[in-house]
Amino acid sequence: SVEAGYENMAVKEDIFARLDALAKPGAMLASNTSYLSIDEIASATKRPQDVLGLHFFSPANIMKLVEAVRGAETAPDVLATGMDLARRIGKVPVVSGVCFGFIGNRMLEPRLSGAIDMLVEGATPDQVDRVSTTFGMPMGPLQMIDLAGVDIGWHRDPNRIESVRDALNAAGRWGQKTRAGFYDYDEKRRPAASPAAQAIVEQFRDRAGIAPRAISEEEIVTRTLYVMVNEGAKILEEGIAQRASDIDVVWHHGYGWPRHTGGPMFWADQIGLDRIVDALTRYKDRLGADFILSPLLVACAAEGRPLDR
């Protein structure tokens, strides 16, 4: 059984409690959750050893990646069965530990946050996204969230507006599915600059008292690509991923990271970890109050060794 309800813990727990009552002993219970804790979902059952995550990537009929998420009590044979099942249906499985967003979506978070923050500071969506597409990715961070759904994870209260995404969602700008997100879309889903989205961004800029400024390509690279390498290093430190190459597999098969670069962690080694650490240090005051430079990344850069545990 692979559950695919929408991203709400109460919904997941209800489904798994019912599955627990119906499924025969020994049945594997898997969740397709993108962000939520497998351990918390498993706690809704009396068989947490049989629960794991099988996170398919959208569109699931095309994308090869499956994150096989091992919970604290997931039995080894259940994890092995999940990996085997993924391979049997033509997917590429990668084992992940439990954390918010697992491997791939966790690395998306600082990338998307940096992209949206730079809009408020003066960049345009096209300027930010063009850095990723020129690099070789199929789309930039803002194009990607418009495709996936700006409303993913939204609290659904239109009166509670705490971010640019909240304001877009409250205005019904949920991305391509409503033909309006960070961009406007025509009937063939072709993007165009959006005066309405720009007005929302400018409201936040004015409210924060921020004067718009020119933003360089180097800054966009640092705040949308180098931050991903830093987050990947944290994922390695915490044992969420078993090896750096697993992270590269996730990003190649799940997000279209350009194959010729080898993946974000291999690419980081090739361009120089010291270069990445230097850039993140120089732009640290623009990376948010919660930004922490990965000690593993710093150590590997100083020692001249590849980025791995």
Side-chain angles (χ1 to χ4, degrees), residues 265-283:
M265 311 312 276
F266 183 84
W267 169 72
D269 289 330
Q270 298 305 298
I271 66 171
L273 301 182
D274 53 346
R275 172 179 170 182
I276 293 174
V277 169
D278 174 67
L280 290 170
T281 302
R282 283 188 289 112
Y283 286 102

Side-chain angles (χ1 to χ4, degrees), residues 182-227:
F182 287 94
Y183 298 86
D184 289 333
Y185 294 87
D186 63 17
E187 66 280 356
K188 294 184 178 179
R189 296 198 174 194
R190 290 175 298 203
S194 171
Q198 182 64 23
I200 288 172
V201 169
E202 289 176 0
Q203 288 173 4
F204 273 84
R205 181 185 298 157
D206 293 344
R207 187 183 306 165
I210 295 172
R213 60 182 175 84
I215 295 180
S216 68
E217 182 174 314
E218 180 196 48
E219 182 170 349
I220 297 171
V221 168
T222 301
R223 296 175 69 178
T224 60
L225 296 178
Y226 291 175
V227 291

Side-chain angles (χ1 to χ4, degrees), residues 42-54:
S43 70
T45 76
K46 297 182 178 66
R47 52 173 105 181
Q49 73 280 358
D50 294 332
V51 178
L52 79 160
L54 286 178

Side-chain angles (χ1 to χ4, degrees), residues 91-103:
K91 301 299 184 182
V92 178
V94 172
V95 175
S96 172
V98 175
C99 66
F100 183 77
F102 314 126
I103 296 172

Side-chain angles (χ1 to χ4, degrees), residues 41 80 127 268 284:
I41 292 170
Q127 181 189 2
K284 188 175 181 181

